[in-house]
């Protein structure tokens, strides 16, 4: 890879600092050509004070220049960073100046990270973690991405890969030396069971991770006038929804993003349910039901002491959380009780919602849709291998283990084709 790439690494908005980054053999030359004050050769990893100049020699900005000679850099190539003032126009001018160099071109999205991956600086899970960290919107998403960046996902997948490879080799050996088959049969079943348990745990962790990238919808629903909108406002801590003593106040679905205990989610308020609603209200109810169908969790809000059964029947129990509202008006009532006006029970409700969506403290593993599909294939082939093992058809076991290995290689990126890599790196913004 002989081209040198350049990109503005900081965001497109005005900021205190803006960074222009280059990677490749011409990085130092290109920067030296548009600056004054950079010694030749520059001191590695030293903050040089430089002046960036226009083609007519006029100063454009004063800033810092850091040079990371290959291979000890982010990408494994020579990397130069210009830290300037965070003016988008200035940074565009500086980038255009650098592009005047004959071998410098604009970086593609994710190309810095892709080069790091090509040069063995990061594996695919760490490269993905960079994108996930940049995109993270909640504290849990930040922590999960940081853990992956630290190698947690890589070591988890590596453990699975080693165990699978060892078992596959052993089965192949048993096929080649049938006199030893009986010995091998003793160990294949428990090791296969352990592998399946690991793959199962990974799938659970991937489910938890998916909640962090695709924030779940939590929908408040229930009969008219139950206090859903009052509860929605109380949970948000702001007067978002109109509240009124007359039934049928809410028509549209109202949405707000919240972050509770580090978990980001979409909270929705819906039209109260009742039979015989007139045209406009009925359309509101239909919208509410559509939101309910897509909800990760439905919070069934019914006043304490009122009959719950018809409302609870709207949603299956595994997707539903039952709440008794207006608990100040009625002493009895099972489950979670909230009094929206004085905030009683609100924190317990927030915790209950988070506990239902993310039942374990495990932040989860961040996988792409394609990786999750590979994981499903891995599990299917391990299951088929276990079935074949029970029937003592070792050739079939070996075949399924080979397919399982291929699925795992897709997942870890070691066996990933170009399209998979393109998809991974296309998720990045330019300059990453
Ligand atoms: N006493 C008491 N009244 C409440 C409580 N929560 C809400 N209310 C009252 O109940 C009435 C209805 O409240 P809303 O929040 O509009 O109820 P809703 O379920 O959104 O109603 P619709 O949108 O019409 O389905 C209002 O007069 C609220 O002031 C509560 O905890 N205690
Ligand atoms: Mg309402």
């Amino acid at each position: 890879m002989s081209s040198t790439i350049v990109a503005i690494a900081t965001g497109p908005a005005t900021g205190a600092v803006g960074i222009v980054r280059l990677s490749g053999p011409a990085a130092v030359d290109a920067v030296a050509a548009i600056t004054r004050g950079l010694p030749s050769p520059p001191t590695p990893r030293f903050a040089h004070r430089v002046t960036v100049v226009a083609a007519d020699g006029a100063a454009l900005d004063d800033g810092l220049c850091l040079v990371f000679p290959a291979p000890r850099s982010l990408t494994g190539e020579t990397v130069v960073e210009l830290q300037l003032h965070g003016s988008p126009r200035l940074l565009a001018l500086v980038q255009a100046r650098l592009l005047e160099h004959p071998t410098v071109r604009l970086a593609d999205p994710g190309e810095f990270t892709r080069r790091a991956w090509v040069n063995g600086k990061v594996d695919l899970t760490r490269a993905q973690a960079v994108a996930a960290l940049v995109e993270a919107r909640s504290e849990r998403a930040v922590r999960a991405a940081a853990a992956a960046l630290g190698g947690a996902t890589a070591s988890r997948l590596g453990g699975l890969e080693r165990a699978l490879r060892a078992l596959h080799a052993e089965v192949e050996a048993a096929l080649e030396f049938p006199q030893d088959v009986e010995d091998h049969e003793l160990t294949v079943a428990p090791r296969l069971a352990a592998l399946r348990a690991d793959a199962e745990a990974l799938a659970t962790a991937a489910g938890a991770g998916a909640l962090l990238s695709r924030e779940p919808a939590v929908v408040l629903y229930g009969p008219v006038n139950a206090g859903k909108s009052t509860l929605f406002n109380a949970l948000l801590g702001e007067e978002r929804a109109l509240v009124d003593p007359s039934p049928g106040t809410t028509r549209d679905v109202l949405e707000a993003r919240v972050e509770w205990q580090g978990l980001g989610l979409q909270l929705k308020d819906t039209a109260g349910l009742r039979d015989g609603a007139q045209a406009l209200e009925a359309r509101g109810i239909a919208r509410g039901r559509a939101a309910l169908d897509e909800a990760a969790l439905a919070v069934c809000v019914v006043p304490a002491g009122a009959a719950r059964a018809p409302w609870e029947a709207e949603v299956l129990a595994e997707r539903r959380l039952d709440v008794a509202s207006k608990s100040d008006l009625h002493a009895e009532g099972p489950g979670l009780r909230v009094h929206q006006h004085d905030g009683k029970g609100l924190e317990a409700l927030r915790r209950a919602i988070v506990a239902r969506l993310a039942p374990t403290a495990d932040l989860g593993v961040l996988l792409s849709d394609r990786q999750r599909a590979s994981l499903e294939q891995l599990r299917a082939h391990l299951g088929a291998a276990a079935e074949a093992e029970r029937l003592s058809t070792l050739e079939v076991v070996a075949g399924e283990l080979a397919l399982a290995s291929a699925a795992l290689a897709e997942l870890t990126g070691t066996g990933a084709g170009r399209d998979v890599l393109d998809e991974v790196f296309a998720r990045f913004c330019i300059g990453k």
Side-chain angles (χ1 to χ4, degrees), residues 149-196:
L149 202 52
T153 308
S155 72
R156 193 165 185 166
L157 294 178
L160 201 58
E161 211 163 24
R162 274 190 300 279
L164 178 55
R165 202 177 299 137
L167 181 60
H168 188 199
E170 190 169 315
V171 171
E172 293 288 354
L175 283 170
E176 232 173 291
F177 307 104
Q179 63 274 20
D180 297 337
V181 159
E182 272 169 40
D183 291 349
H184 288 294
E185 273 178 348
L186 289 174
T187 69
V188 169
R191 287 168 65 187
L192 204 44
L195 265 172
R196 291 182 73 193

Coordinates of all heavy atoms in Angstrom, one line a residue, residues 149-196:
L149 N -12.4 -3.3 22.9 CA -11.2 -2.6 22.4 C -10.0 -3.2 23.2 O -8.9 -3.3 22.7 CB -11.3 -1.1 22.6 CG -10.4 -0.2 21.8 CD1 -10.5 -0.5 20.3 CD2 -10.8 1.2 22.0
G150 N -10.3 -3.5 24.5 CA -9.3 -4.1 25.4 C -9.0 -5.5 25.1 O -8.1 -6.1 25.7
G151 N -9.8 -6.1 24.2 CA -9.5 -7.5 23.8 C -10.4 -8.6 24.4 O -10.2 -9.8 24.2
A152 N -11.5 -8.1 25.1 CA -12.4 -9.1 25.8 C -13.1 -10.0 24.8 O -13.1 -11.2 25.0 CB -13.4 -8.3 26.6
T153 N -13.6 -9.4 23.7 CA -14.2 -10.2 22.7 C -13.3 -11.1 21.9 O -13.5 -12.3 21.7 CB -15.0 -9.3 21.6 OG1 -15.8 -8.4 22.4 CG2 -15.8 -10.1 20.7
A154 N -12.1 -10.5 21.6 CA -11.1 -11.3 20.9 C -10.7 -12.6 21.7 O -10.5 -13.7 21.2 CB -9.8 -10.5 20.6
S155 N -10.5 -12.4 23.1 CA -10.1 -13.5 23.8 C -11.2 -14.6 24.0 O -11.0 -15.8 24.0 CB -9.5 -13.1 25.2 OG -10.5 -12.7 26.0
R156 N -12.4 -14.0 24.1 CA -13.6 -15.0 24.2 C -13.7 -15.8 22.9 O -13.8 -17.0 22.9 CB -14.8 -14.1 24.3 CG -16.0 -14.9 24.7 CD -17.1 -14.0 25.2 NE -18.2 -14.7 25.7 CZ -19.1 -14.3 26.5 NH1 -19.1 -13.0 26.9 NH2 -20.1 -15.1 26.9
L157 N -13.6 -15.1 21.7 CA -13.6 -15.9 20.5 C -12.4 -16.8 20.3 O -12.5 -17.9 19.7 CB -13.8 -14.9 19.3 CG -15.1 -14.1 19.3 CD1 -15.0 -13.1 18.1 CD2 -16.3 -14.9 19.2
G158 N -11.3 -16.3 20.7 CA -10.0 -17.0 20.6 C -10.1 -18.4 21.4 O -9.7 -19.4 20.9
G159 N -10.7 -18.3 22.6 CA -10.9 -19.5 23.4 C -11.7 -20.5 22.7 O -11.4 -21.7 22.6
L160 N -12.8 -20.0 22.1 CA -13.7 -20.9 21.3 C -13.0 -21.5 20.1 O -13.2 -22.7 19.8 CB -14.9 -20.0 20.9 CG -16.3 -20.7 20.6 CD1 -16.8 -21.5 21.7 CD2 -17.3 -19.6 20.2
E161 N -12.3 -20.7 19.4 CA -11.6 -21.1 18.2 C -10.6 -22.2 18.5 O -10.5 -23.2 17.8 CB -10.9 -19.9 17.6 CG -10.8 -20.0 16.1 CD -10.5 -18.6 15.4 OE1 -9.9 -17.8 16.1 OE2 -10.9 -18.4 14.3
R162 N -9.8 -22.0 19.6 CA -8.8 -23.0 20.0 C -9.4 -24.3 20.4 O -9.0 -25.4 19.9 CB -7.9 -22.5 21.2 CG -6.8 -21.6 20.7 CD -5.8 -21.4 21.9 NE -6.5 -20.6 23.0 CZ -6.7 -19.3 23.0 NH1 -6.3 -18.6 22.0 NH2 -7.3 -18.7 24.0
A163 N -10.5 -24.3 21.2 CA -11.2 -25.5 21.6 C -11.8 -26.3 20.4 O -11.7 -27.5 20.3 CB -12.3 -25.2 22.6
L164 N -12.3 -25.5 19.5 CA -13.0 -26.1 18.3 C -11.9 -26.8 17.4 O -12.1 -27.9 17.0 CB -13.8 -25.1 17.5 CG -14.5 -25.5 16.3 CD1 -15.4 -26.7 16.5 CD2 -15.3 -24.3 15.7
R165 N -10.8 -26.0 17.2 CA -9.8 -26.5 16.4 C -9.2 -27.8 17.0 O -8.9 -28.8 16.3 CB -8.7 -25.5 16.2 CG -7.8 -25.7 14.9 CD -6.8 -24.6 14.7 NE -7.4 -23.3 14.6 CZ -7.0 -22.2 15.2 NH1 -5.9 -22.2 16.0 NH2 -7.5 -21.1 14.9
A166 N -8.9 -27.8 18.3 CA -8.4 -29.0 18.9 C -9.3 -30.2 18.8 O -8.8 -31.3 18.5 CB -8.1 -28.7 20.4
L167 N -10.6 -30.0 19.0 CA -11.5 -31.1 18.9 C -11.6 -31.6 17.5 O -11.6 -32.8 17.3 CB -12.9 -30.6 19.4 CG -14.0 -31.7 19.4 CD1 -13.6 -32.8 20.3 CD2 -15.3 -31.1 19.8
H168 N -11.6 -30.7 16.5 CA -11.7 -31.1 15.1 C -10.5 -31.9 14.8 O -10.6 -33.0 14.2 CB -11.8 -29.8 14.3 CG -12.0 -30.1 12.8 ND1 -11.8 -29.2 11.8 CD2 -12.5 -31.2 12.2 CE1 -12.1 -29.7 10.7 NE2 -12.5 -31.0 10.9
A169 N -9.3 -31.5 15.2 CA -8.1 -32.2 14.9 C -8.2 -33.6 15.5 O -7.7 -34.6 14.9 CB -6.9 -31.5 15.5
E170 N -8.7 -33.7 16.7 CA -8.8 -35.0 17.4 C -9.7 -35.9 16.7 O -9.4 -37.1 16.6 CB -9.2 -34.8 18.9 CG -9.1 -36.0 19.7 CD -9.3 -35.7 21.2 OE1 -8.7 -34.7 21.6 OE2 -10.0 -36.5 21.8
V171 N -10.8 -35.4 16.2 CA -11.8 -36.2 15.5 C -11.2 -36.7 14.2 O -11.3 -37.9 13.8 CB -13.1 -35.5 15.3 CG1 -14.0 -36.3 14.3 CG2 -13.8 -35.2 16.6
E172 N -10.5 -35.8 13.5 CA -9.8 -36.2 12.3 C -8.8 -37.3 12.5 O -8.7 -38.3 11.8 CB -9.2 -35.0 11.6 CG -10.1 -34.0 11.1 CD -10.9 -34.4 9.8 OE1 -10.6 -35.5 9.3 OE2 -11.8 -33.6 9.4
A173 N -8.1 -37.2 13.6 CA -7.1 -38.2 14.0 C -7.8 -39.5 14.3 O -7.3 -40.6 13.9 CB -6.3 -37.7 15.2
A174 N -8.9 -39.5 15.0 CA -9.6 -40.7 15.3 C -10.1 -41.4 14.0 O -10.2 -42.7 14.0 CB -10.8 -40.4 16.2
L175 N -10.4 -40.6 13.0 CA -10.9 -41.2 11.7 C -9.7 -41.9 11.0 O -9.8 -42.9 10.4 CB -11.4 -40.1 10.8 CG -12.9 -39.7 11.1 CD1 -13.2 -38.5 10.3 CD2 -13.8 -40.8 10.9
E176 N -8.5 -41.3 11.2 CA -7.3 -41.8 10.5 C -6.8 -43.0 11.2 O -6.2 -43.9 10.6 CB -6.3 -40.7 10.4 CG -5.8 -40.5 9.0 CD -4.9 -39.3 8.9 OE1 -5.4 -38.2 9.0 OE2 -3.7 -39.5 8.7
F177 N -6.9 -43.0 12.5 CA -6.4 -44.2 13.3 C -7.5 -44.8 14.1 O -7.7 -44.6 15.3 CB -5.3 -43.7 14.3 CG -4.2 -42.9 13.6 CD1 -4.2 -41.5 13.8 CD2 -3.2 -43.5 12.9 CE1 -3.2 -40.8 13.1 CE2 -2.2 -42.8 12.2 CZ -2.2 -41.4 12.4
P178 N -8.3 -45.6 13.4 CA -9.6 -46.1 14.0 C -9.4 -47.0 15.2 O -10.3 -47.1 16.0 CB -10.2 -46.9 12.8 CG -9.4 -46.7 11.6 CD -8.1 -46.1 12.0
Q179 N -8.2 -47.5 15.3 CA -7.9 -48.4 16.5 C -8.1 -47.6 17.8 O -8.3 -48.1 18.9 CB -6.5 -49.1 16.4 CG -5.3 -48.2 16.4 CD -5.0 -47.7 15.0 OE1 -5.8 -47.7 14.1 NE2 -3.7 -47.2 14.8
D180 N -7.9 -46.3 17.7 CA -8.0 -45.4 18.9 C -9.4 -44.8 19.1 O -9.6 -44.1 20.0 CB -7.0 -44.2 18.8 CG -5.6 -44.7 18.8 OD1 -5.3 -45.9 19.2 OD2 -4.7 -44.0 18.3
V181 N -10.3 -45.2 18.2 CA -11.6 -44.5 18.2 C -12.3 -44.5 19.5 O -12.8 -43.6 20.0 CB -12.5 -45.0 17.1 CG1 -13.9 -44.7 17.3 CG2 -12.1 -44.4 15.7
E182 N -12.2 -45.7 20.2 CA -13.0 -45.8 21.4 C -12.5 -44.9 22.5 O -13.3 -44.2 23.2 CB -12.9 -47.3 22.0 CG -14.0 -48.1 21.4 CD -13.9 -49.6 21.6 OE1 -13.5 -49.9 22.8 OE2 -14.2 -50.4 20.7
D183 N -11.2 -44.7 22.5 CA -10.6 -43.7 23.5 C -11.2 -42.3 23.2 O -11.6 -41.6 24.1 CB -9.1 -43.6 23.4 CG -8.5 -44.9 23.9 OD1 -9.2 -45.7 24.5 OD2 -7.3 -45.1 23.7
H184 N -11.2 -42.0 21.9 CA -11.6 -40.6 21.5 C -13.1 -40.4 21.8 O -13.5 -39.3 22.2 CB -11.3 -40.4 20.0 CG -9.8 -40.2 19.8 ND1 -9.2 -39.1 20.3 CD2 -8.9 -41.0 19.1 CE1 -7.9 -39.2 19.9 NE2 -7.7 -40.3 19.2
E185 N -13.9 -41.4 21.5 CA -15.3 -41.3 21.7 C -15.6 -40.9 23.1 O -16.6 -40.2 23.4 CB -16.0 -42.6 21.4 CG -16.4 -42.7 19.9 CD -17.1 -44.0 19.6 OE1 -17.1 -44.9 20.5 OE2 -17.6 -44.1 18.5
L186 N -14.7 -41.2 24.1 CA -14.9 -40.9 25.5 C -14.8 -39.4 25.7 O -15.5 -38.8 26.5 CB -13.9 -41.6 26.3 CG -14.1 -43.1 26.5 CD1 -13.0 -43.7 27.3 CD2 -15.4 -43.4 27.2
T187 N -13.9 -38.7 24.9 CA -13.7 -37.3 25.2 C -14.5 -36.4 24.3 O -14.7 -35.2 24.6 CB -12.2 -36.9 25.1 OG1 -11.8 -37.0 23.7 CG2 -11.4 -37.9 25.9
V188 N -14.9 -36.9 23.1 CA -15.6 -36.0 22.1 C -16.9 -35.4 22.7 O -17.1 -34.2 22.6 CB -15.9 -36.7 20.8 CG1 -16.8 -35.9 19.9 CG2 -14.5 -37.0 20.1
A189 N -17.7 -36.3 23.3 CA -19.0 -35.8 23.7 C -18.9 -34.7 24.8 O -19.6 -33.6 24.6 CB -19.9 -37.0 24.3
P190 N -18.2 -34.8 25.8 CA -18.1 -33.7 26.8 C -17.5 -32.5 26.2 O -17.9 -31.3 26.6 CB -17.3 -34.3 28.0 CG -16.6 -35.5 27.4 CD -17.5 -36.0 26.3
R191 N -16.5 -32.6 25.4 CA -15.9 -31.4 24.8 C -16.8 -30.7 23.8 O -16.9 -29.5 23.8 CB -14.6 -31.8 24.1 CG -13.5 -32.1 25.2 CD -12.3 -32.8 24.6 NE -11.6 -31.9 23.7 CZ -10.6 -32.3 22.9 NH1 -10.2 -33.5 23.0 NH2 -10.0 -31.4 22.2
L192 N -17.6 -31.5 23.1 CA -18.6 -30.9 22.2 C -19.7 -30.2 23.0 O -20.1 -29.1 22.7 CB -19.2 -32.0 21.4 CG -19.8 -31.7 20.0 CD1 -19.0 -30.7 19.2 CD2 -20.1 -33.0 19.3
A193 N -20.0 -30.8 24.2 CA -21.0 -30.2 25.0 C -20.5 -28.8 25.6 O -21.2 -27.8 25.6 CB -21.4 -31.1 26.2
A194 N -19.2 -28.8 25.9 CA -18.6 -27.6 26.5 C -18.6 -26.5 25.4 O -18.9 -25.3 25.7 CB -17.2 -27.9 27.0
L195 N -18.3 -26.9 24.2 CA -18.2 -25.9 23.1 C -19.6 -25.4 22.8 O -19.8 -24.2 22.6 CB -17.8 -26.7 21.8 CG -16.3 -26.6 21.4 CD1 -16.0 -27.5 20.3 CD2 -15.9 -25.1 21.1
R196 N -20.6 -26.2 22.9 CA -22.0 -25.8 22.6 C -22.4 -24.8 23.7 O -23.1 -23.8 23.4 CB -23.0 -27.0 22.5 CG -22.7 -27.8 21.3 CD -23.7 -28.9 21.3 NE -25.1 -28.5 20.9 CZ -26.2 -29.2 21.0 NH1 -26.1 -30.4 21.5 NH2 -27.3 -28.7 20.7

